[in-house]
Amino acid sequence: MNNGNIVEITNLKKGYDKGKIKALNGIDIQIRKGEFVSIIGPSGSGKSTLLNMIGALDTADDGLITVAGNDLMLKKDLSDFRSKKIGFIFQLHNLIPNLSVLENVIIPMYGNGYKSSHMSKRAMKLLKYVKLEDKAERKPTELSGGERQRVAIARALANNPSIILADEPTGSLDSKNGKMVLERLKELHEKENVTLIMVTHDMNVAAMAERTIEVLDGQVQT
Amino acid sequence: MSFTKLIAKNPFRNKARLALAVIGIAIGIATIVALGMVTEGLKASVEEQLMTGGADFVVMKNTTSESASGSYSIKDKRIDEISKINGVKQAAGVYTSSRMVDGNQLGFAGIKSKDLNMLGARMIQGNAYADDKNELILGKLAAEKLKKKVGDTVTFNGNQYVVTGIFEVGNKELDSIGALSLEKLQSMDENEGKVDMIYVKINKGADLKTVSKSVEKAYPGELTTIASLEDFQKADDSLQMVETASMAISLLAIIIGGIGIINTMIMSVFERTREIGVFRAVGWKSRRILAMILGESVVLTLLAGMVGIVLGVVGIEVIINLFETPLDLVFTPALALRALGIAVIVGLIGGLYPAIRASRLPPTEALRYE
Ligand SMILES: Nc1ncnc2c1ncn2[C@@H]1O[C@H](COP(=O)(O)OP(=O)(O)OP(=O)(O)O)[C@@H](O)[C@H]1O
Ligand SMILES: [Mg+2]
């Protein structure tokens, strides 16, 4: 984490279909700790691929990528890194339908050695933060789209991550619900000094960030 | 909610599929339990018969020896000979046969009236028969089945026999037979001079092992003595055969159940691909995914095991009662443990492949899955 950068990416490359598709074609990005960055770009430009690289969900073919002091090019098991450093928020909430809202928030906490009562208490606190404590026992299907996405925020915060990666978190929401989700995220960034990296199609949403990075054909536009 | 609770909860998501998988495996487990109860019942009955009889040991034809003629019967001059062996107090020949009586199949023991004490039978009504008369006695359960009491007559083999007494041994199998003169039963089957076994009672103070050994030594390769369940199993391989069949069916149940569970769990993993991607994204190790799917598989088969035990116990009781089989079924905790053990093994074997598949799903692919 030299010079205060939590994300350091140099000439990162990722191909699909035996290199026919160059999803990432030499990306260079530095993101400071506590920064709120939005990533924009047309469909298929490589935004999700980039986010997955930062979250260590996938490995790059070439280049350098260091996140929160972890060299992600070393192909070791990175589930601990994901669990402790990263919180993911997807376009679709991806909540588990047969589990209650509370149980969905608990899911990332397994493996930390907490007692189940402690996990419930912590999950309840996070639900309070997204103003859903009264819906803790509901099933995700009984919630509105905006509420579901707020549960996803609570889930992403389960293990106190230093980086939140949000891939079009408001993409499936109307503007009113989208605003509520964004307010939560912004507040998180401002109050907790969480690094927030958000992919979006919406220029107005992107404008909320401190910095906007534009991606085109797997490269950063300058 | 703990991880274990999550594992216990997941199989109930698709109830129809759960029910189908559980029934499939439960039938296999039920068969294992039912056969086990029959085997244990047979063992207990043999043991009981050995214990309750007034005899100390039974002499039977040695059918395992090479010199065996293939016939199961013993020449009845052996009875007299054995009774003269040192330490023997009494030797009684028994001839058994099964006959239709008033439309019912009934087992009979032919034994001299004076030797009836050897059966361990207690007369609860009437008296014993005379060896030279058309008389017989019935076990308590046989009398109930035929609806006969002392003084009634029964017709079999074209002759009328008077019921002179009702006896009780306390063993379901023995209480379901009748007994009559040895000579009369032998001649009915045109098997004069032949008995199936010889009951032997030893003198007070004589050593059971020594006496039985000297009987075997007197007729090497021809006769064998039975004083315990182990002796019986050595001389008679029918119990062994039931046990072998039971093992084979267990194995079959494991294979069929295992295939069923592989199918069920693969479907379940397939449907939850995206979910598994989410688990990876929030930091679950692939080991945890493996444990979850394996655990779910075991939860399912354990449930099937419990259903199977109930199904097996109820099923075999119904069958035994329906066919009025004179057998006391025996259910032991060991049998329940074996059934549950097999269920767990099926769950682990069947769940392994789906669990490995789930744990190896690349997270990004899983998350892209629609
Ligand atoms: N698993 C994959 N296999 C093959 N091609 C892939 C895979 N994942 C992504 N791609 C391709 O890589 C390119 C970048 O995809 P990516 O999902 O990063 O785009 P994006 O910028 O997030 O687009 P959108 O705005 O539509 O979400 C696209 O051409 C896509 O088809
Ligand atoms: Mg995308």
Side-chain angles (χ1 to χ4, degrees):
Chain A
M1 266 187 280
N2 48 336
N3 49 42
N5 285 340
I6 197 164
V7 177
E8 290 256 19
I9 295 174
T10 317
N11 200 22
L12 198 69
K13 289 182 178 164
K14 175 73 178 178
Y16 288 111
D17 276 351
K18 295 183 187 114
K20 264 184 260 163
I21 301 170
K22 291 189 165 71
L24 298 181
N25 195 13
I27 290 258
D28 293 289
I29 293 175
Q30 282 81 41
I31 295 170
R32 272 178 292 106
K33 191 173 186 318
E35 202 178 1
F36 178 4
V37 174
S38 63
I39 299 175
I40 58 164
S43 184
S45 56
K47 305 182 297 292
S48 295
T49 307
L50 175 61
L51 220 57
N52 289 342
M53 294 296 158
I54 298 173
L57 275 182
D58 209 345
T59 44
D61 301 334
D62 200 15
L64 298 171
I65 177 165
T66 308
V67 179
N70 293 269
D71 182 352
L72 301 189
M73 293 307 284
L74 303 171
K75 295 189 175 161
K76 52 173 191 174
D77 178 30
L78 290 162
S79 32
D80 267 336
F81 164 79
R82 282 200 295 275
S83 161
K84 297 201 167 65
K85 303 284 181 194
I86 306 288
F88 271 103
I89 300 166
F90 308 95
Q91 175 171 1
L92 293 168
H93 54 81
N94 281 337
L95 298 175
I96 316 298
N98 72 315
L99 302 181
S100 72
V101 162
L102 188 79
E103 289 165 346
N104 264 285
V105 179
I106 288 174
I107 285 289
M109 300 182 196
Y110 295 141
N112 292 351
Y114 295 143
K115 265 194 266 162
S116 130
S117 60
H118 178 271
M119 294 195 287
S120 297
K121 225 182 265 166
R122 166 145 185 84
M124 206 60 205
K125 220 172 90 186
L126 293 168
L127 284 175
K128 212 169 267 172
Y129 177 71
V130 294
K131 302 197 164 62
L132 282 174
E133 68 268 34
D134 54 328
K135 308 234 159 114
E137 295 309 321
R138 298 270 192 95
K139 292 278 152 68
T141 44
E142 299 162 352
L143 303 186
S144 74
E147 286 170 337
R148 286 178 206 174
Q149 204 56 306
R150 273 145 62 202
V151 178
I153 293 176
R155 181 179 63 188
L157 294 175
N159 293 331
N160 244 329
S162 25
I163 306 174
I164 297 267
L165 301 175
D167 197 347
E168 302 192 43
T170 58
S172 61
L173 303 179
D174 61 28
S175 58
K176 185 174 148 263
N177 274 307
K179 217 175 134 210
M180 239 170 120
V181 166
L182 287 169
E183 270 164 13
R184 291 288 91 179
L185 288 176
K186 200 162 171 2
E187 187 186 321
L188 205 62
H189 155 67
E190 279 163 2
K191 286 197 183 152
E192 315 281 331
N193 199 32
V194 171
T195 309
L196 183 57
I197 306 172
M198 179 172 67
V199 168
T200 180
H201 268 123
D202 188 328
M203 291 311 261
N204 294 324
V205 173
M208 286 174 68
E210 296 162 324
R211 180 156 66 106
T212 299
I213 296 171
E214 196 183 343
V215 178
L216 192 65
D217 294 334
Q219 286 179 318
V220 175
Q221 289 302 104
T222 40
Chain B
M1 183 191 55
S2 63
F3 183 54
T4 353
K5 224 177 120 189
L6 174 76
I7 290 173
K9 206 167 164 172
N10 272 339
F12 294 91
R13 284 168 77 160
N14 189 330
K15 299 218 168 57
R17 189 165 61 206
L18 173 75
L20 277 177
V22 163
I23 289 169
I25 296 159
I27 289 172
I29 300 283
T31 315
I32 292 166
V33 169
L35 279 173
M37 285 171 75
V38 170
T39 319
E40 291 300 319
L42 284 172
K43 273 191 200 164
S45 176
V46 168
E47 232 165 11
E48 219 173 80
Q49 288 182 39
L50 289 168
M51 302 279 286
T52 53
D56 294 305
F57 64 89
V58 179
V59 180
M60 283 177 86
K61 188 78 175 231
N62 186 343
T63 50
T64 54
S65 142
E66 283 173 25
S67 63
S69 58
S71 142
Y72 286 89
S73 50
I74 307 169
K75 290 179 235 109
D76 65 1
K77 68 170 186 221
R78 296 276 181 258
I79 304 168
D80 260 7
E81 291 168 15
I82 287 170
S83 68
K84 288 185 187 105
I85 287 175
N86 211 353
V88 174
K89 187 181 178 200
Q90 186 185 358
V94 178
Y95 177 80
T96 57
S97 182
S98 182
R99 301 233 144 225
M100 287 301 282
V101 178
D102 296 345
N104 288 290
Q105 191 77 26
L106 201 65
F108 281 100
I111 183 167
K112 287 196 172 114
S113 189
K114 70 168 174 66
D115 289 330
L116 270 171
N117 64 314
M118 296 289 241
L119 282 183
R122 202 159 42 79
M123 298 303 298
I124 51 174
Q125 273 173 48
N127 295 298
Y129 47 83
D131 282 334
D132 54 352
K133 292 215 180 98
N134 277 6
E135 292 176 348
L136 55 77
I137 57 174
L138 291 173
K140 195 176 152 230
L141 297 175
E144 276 169 22
K145 192 170 157 194
L146 295 173
K147 299 191 184 69
K148 295 290 177 193
K149 44 188 201 306
V150 174
D152 288 351
T153 56
V154 296
T155 312
F156 76 108
N157 207 38
N159 288 309
Q160 292 222 320
Y161 279 74
V162 180
V163 179
T164 60
I166 311 279
F167 67 88
E168 185 175 13
V169 178
N171 172 281
K172 205 169 170 185
E173 229 175 305
L174 291 177
D175 284 340
S176 302
I177 66 168
L180 71 158
S181 152
L182 175 63
E183 281 80 16
K184 286 200 183 290
L185 195 60
Q186 283 171 330
S187 63
M188 250 181 245
D189 286 354
E190 290 171 357
N191 257 337
E192 284 91 350
K194 283 176 184 159
V195 293
D196 296 313
M197 48 200 162
I198 300 169
Y199 282 35
V200 178
K201 198 174 177 133
I202 61 173
N203 284 321
K204 263 211 186 87
D207 180 56
L208 178 62
K209 265 228 171 76
T210 318
V211 179
S212 64
K213 276 274 167 323
S214 45
V215 170
E216 282 184 357
K217 267 198 205 113
Y219 306 98
E222 183 194 332
L223 299 180
T224 181
T225 60
I226 293 162
S228 68
L229 181 62
E230 289 76 50
D231 289 349
F232 178 81
Q233 279 172 309
K234 257 178 240 155
D236 185 321
D237 52 8
S238 56
L239 259 178
Q240 194 57 48
M241 268 158 66
V242 178
E243 278 190 332
T244 311
S246 167
M247 292 270 268
I249 290 173
S250 305
L251 198 70
L252 209 67
I254 290 176
I255 293 169
I256 294 172
I259 291 170
I261 206 84
I262 289 174
N263 188 48
T264 307
M265 292 315 292
I266 281 185
M267 292 267 286
S268 163
V269 166
F270 185 67
E271 278 171 17
R272 293 191 286 161
T273 301
R274 216 184 154 84
E275 211 169 277
I276 289 163
V278 174
F279 290 147
R280 297 309 307 277
V282 301
W284 279 26
K285 288 188 167 47
S286 52
R287 252 205 332 263
R288 185 173 291 278
I289 311 264
L290 187 96
M292 180 179 76
I293 302 298
L294 260 187
E296 288 178 20
S297 174
V298 171
V299 165
L300 207 155
T301 53
L302 259 182
L303 191 70
M306 288 185 256
V307 172
I309 288 173
V310 174
L311 212 66
V313 171
V314 173
I316 193 70
E317 291 280 0
V318 166
I319 290 171
I320 289 282
N321 282 328
L322 209 66
F323 292 97
E324 297 177 5
T325 314
L327 178 68
D328 279 317
L329 294 163
V330 175
F331 182 80
T332 61
L335 197 56
L337 273 180
R338 175 151 59 133
L340 292 179
I342 288 171
V344 170
I345 290 170
V346 169
L348 288 176
I349 292 175
L352 192 62
Y353 173 65
I356 288 174
R357 244 174 78 144
S359 72
R360 290 199 181 152
L361 276 173
T364 44
E365 305 258 314
L367 281 166
R368 283 162 62 93
Y369 183 82
E370 308 272 336

